[in-house]
Amino acid sequence: MPDIPPPARQVWPDLSLVYAPERVLFQRDNTLITGTEFLAAAHRLAMQLPDQPVMNLCRELRGFTVLFAATLLRGQYVILTGNRTSDGLATLAASHRAVCVAIDGDPESAGLPHGAITLPDPFGRGVQPRDSGDAPFNPVIGADTQVAIVFTSGSTGEPVGHAKSWGGLVTRGVARRALLDPDPEPACLVGTVPPYHLYGFEAVVIQCLATRVTAMTGPGRYPADWRHQLRQTPTPGILVTTPLQLGSLVRSGLALPPIRRVVSASAPLDTEQAMAAETVLATEVTEIYGTTETGSVATRRTLDGPRWELCEGVALAIDARGATVTAPGMAAQLLPDVVERDGERGLRLMGRIGDLVKFGGKRASMAGLNAALLGIEGVRDGVFLRPESNIREAATRMRVFALAPGCSAESILEALRARVEPAFLPRRVRLVAALPRNAMGKLTLGAVRDLAAQNDGMEDIGTFSMSATHPCLAGHFPDQPVVPGVMLLEAGLTRLRNAGFGTVRRIGTAKFLRPVLPGESVTFFAGWMDHGLRLTGRCGDKLVLRAVLQAGEDDDAR
């Protein structure tokens, strides 16, 4: 890795579990929870936890944070993952000898994996108030104490866990005050992001525990929920969100109270989206650049341009192997992005490492292709999917999925032709009702591949029906007309070519499995196999044609 000078002896901020416990940590409508009340609840909860790591499954901010604090009081750490499948959670918990825990009444307390436990809400009705007298113990946690293992989203492959220490999390939280607590009066944070993702964990949970801010709590999945929380803040709130959620808020048309600032992360915002948000919300839009490996690295106001300013305490070094950052409480980490310096404390993001795709002697970045798709008028969401490496054939193309109400697949493909090199054009655009984004708005590679695998990886390439008056039917067969197999196959081959699958060089096998009668509609499907192209035809749910073909690219598509 690049050589980075060793840092001076680290001076840590206040490493108490709760900074200034006399202040208000959480607010929900008119209910205020002070740090002292929070600590008492965390101690009650800690007595109910087993002596093992905790997979914190809470979605609601207050419940998540008190369970996190209770875990630390128990001398354990939490495991955080965006995976919400019961099998995935159970497997991950078993691999760390952890227990899955939720708080009763949490939005995600239903459908828990086998062996999970649900604990009573320590702030709920019927809970005995703290006895007056000595304040609950507020431990100072060692700087090197591991408090969490946070897993990546899996957007580029299998999720990977990264350990986080208390000292590093708190120090970087204090360094974020200029962004998240910029005014003389303490800030109020409204977070739309799940606390089990590192962004939400750092920017809301740790910020609330380790600095003077107050966090708003309550239902938080929809724009109306966020508006309700923003209306409750005593001063204009700071909205901590993602590009996907910000877009939904802007499009909602809701009348919103004053917002001090928008902070976005998880994916870069484009200038048009930031401009629309600043216009509609009447506030500035800022961003955090970071990774699960590193946490927060840099910030910017989107409309100020592509330059990012390194966060306080973060050091950057670049050499031929890539860009490496260090920060308090964190060993040197290689960034997953191509980075260029911009001044002493600035950087520019040039693209994702491994983002490059090469077809037909041409190169492009997946980010650039996706940006071209999302830049088409009417496309609300969309993604390119590159072929899996183990099935790359000469005629294999990119696949494109788009959410575009009111647009046709053909119009989107036509718009792509003006923006994208022919080598990267898909054969067709597949319109979908929604893309399988997770709670952070990310598209994991596995989820997109699952989407592509629907219909067994076969694409609908068109329909065919023969009129009862077609002249070939007179002799095929007299008094019992049946569509000739050769004409059925020819219709399928024509639709193959029209769909961009290339020219068929050879027919390997062709089987006609059921007679097709005049007037019946046949829908053709096509998909690539390891060693050829599969063509099928269906009448309703009946398979009538199955063929294996050898095809190649059209000359003008190379």
Side-chain angles (χ1 to χ4, degrees), residues 393-404:
E393 297 288 337
T396 301
R397 296 275 195 93
M398 303 287 281
R399 302 187 71 175
V400 169
F401 304 89
L403 168 62

Side-chain angles (χ1 to χ4, degrees), residues 239-291:
L239 184 67
V240 181
T241 189
T242 69
L244 183 69
Q245 295 164 325
L246 180 60
S248 68
L249 182 63
V250 169
R251 292 191 300 270
S252 70
L254 296 173
L256 298 167
I259 299 172
R260 172 62 178 86
R261 172 181 286 166
V262 171
V263 178
S264 177
S266 83
L269 278 169
D270 62 57
T271 301
E272 289 185 5
Q273 186 178 5
M275 187 176 297
E278 290 207 357
T279 300
V280 172
L281 306 182
T283 191
E284 62 181 0
V285 174
T286 61
E287 294 181 82
I288 297 174
Y289 164 65
T291 70

Side-chain angles (χ1 to χ4, degrees), residues 249-499:
L249 182 63
V250 169
R251 292 191 300 270
S252 70
L254 296 173
L256 298 167
I259 299 172
R260 172 62 178 86
R261 172 181 286 166
V262 171
V263 178
S264 177
S266 83
L269 278 169
D270 62 57
T271 301
E272 289 185 5
Q273 186 178 5
M275 187 176 297
E278 290 207 357
T279 300
V280 172
L281 306 182
T283 191
E284 62 181 0
V285 174
T286 61
E287 294 181 82
I288 297 174
Y289 164 65
T291 70
T292 305
E293 296 87 342
T294 63
S296 303
V297 172
T299 63
R300 69 169 179 173
R301 182 184 178 190
T302 312
L303 295 186
D304 285 347
R307 183 181 185 274
W308 298 77
E309 181 77 12
L310 288 170
C311 296
E312 180 184 339
V314 174
L316 171 70
I318 301 175
D319 69 4
R321 290 165 290 183
T324 301
V325 296
T326 57
M330 182 190 78
Q333 289 281 352
L334 191 66
L335 292 176
D337 297 289
V338 179
V339 169
E340 289 184 357
R341 280 194 179 278
D342 189 339
E344 183 179 354
R345 296 287 299 168
L347 62 85
R348 292 181 182 233
L349 300 177
M350 309 307 294
R352 196 82 169 175
I353 295 173
D355 192 46
L356 197 66
V357 60
K358 181 179 178 182
F359 277 0
K362 302 286 187 178
R363 287 185 172 87
S365 74
M366 293 298 295
L369 293 172
N370 289 331
L373 173 62
L374 295 172
I376 296 172
E377 185 176 357
V379 174
R380 188 172 296 175
D381 199 4
V383 66
F384 273 74
L385 176 65
R386 72 176 84 191
E388 295 185 56
S389 58
N390 64 336
I391 60 169
R392 282 284 297 273
E393 297 288 337
T396 301
R397 296 275 195 93
M398 303 287 281
R399 302 187 71 175
V400 169
F401 304 89
L403 168 62
C407 296
S408 69
E410 292 75 16
S411 68
I412 296 172
L413 183 58
E414 187 62 30
L416 281 175
R417 288 193 176 101
R419 293 167 166 82
V420 173
E421 289 274 2
F424 304 105
L425 287 172
R427 294 185 179 86
R428 59 192 292 114
V429 173
R430 181 170 166 186
L431 297 177
V432 295
L435 288 175
R437 293 187 180 273
N438 63 18
M440 287 300 297
K442 288 181 175 286
L443 281 171
T444 67
L445 184 60
V448 180
R449 284 179 176 165
D450 287 345
L451 179 64
Q454 292 177 13
N455 290 327
D456 195 25
M458 303 288 282
E459 296 183 34
D460 180 342
I461 59 171
T463 60
F464 164 76
S465 179
M466 179 173 283
S467 168
T469 61
H470 195 285
C472 77
L473 296 176
H476 197 278
F477 297 99
D479 302 324
Q480 193 174 3
V482 174
V483 176
V486 65
M487 299 197 70
L488 182 65
L489 181 59
E490 183 178 343
L493 297 179
T494 299
R495 281 148 186 79
L496 266 178
R497 176 149 182 103
N498 291 342

Side-chain angles (χ1 to χ4, degrees), residues 55-57 79-95 98-100 108 111-114:
M55 184 167 288
N56 191 332
L57 301 186
I79 297 170
L80 307 181
T81 174
N83 187 329
R84 282 308 183 254
T85 64
S86 58
D87 287 349
L89 290 169
T91 300
L92 188 58
S95 68
V99 59
C100 295
E108 297 191 2
L112 299 177
H114 178 73

Side-chain angles (χ1 to χ4, degrees), residues 102-175:
I103 301 295
D104 188 35
D106 187 88
E108 297 191 2
S109 61
L112 299 177
H114 178 73
I117 60 176
T118 301
L119 298 178
D121 183 355
F123 301 107
R125 294 179 181 178
V127 175
Q128 292 297 317
R130 184 179 61 86
D131 293 333
S132 59
D134 294 337
F137 180 51
N138 184 19
V140 175
I141 300 174
D144 295 331
T145 302
Q146 177 181 303
V147 297
I149 296 178
V150 185
F151 278 80
T152 59
S153 65
S155 56
T156 58
E158 288 297 316
V160 178
H162 297 275
K164 304 296 175 182
S165 68
W166 182 246
L169 288 170
V170 171
T171 302
R172 293 195 292 278
V174 171

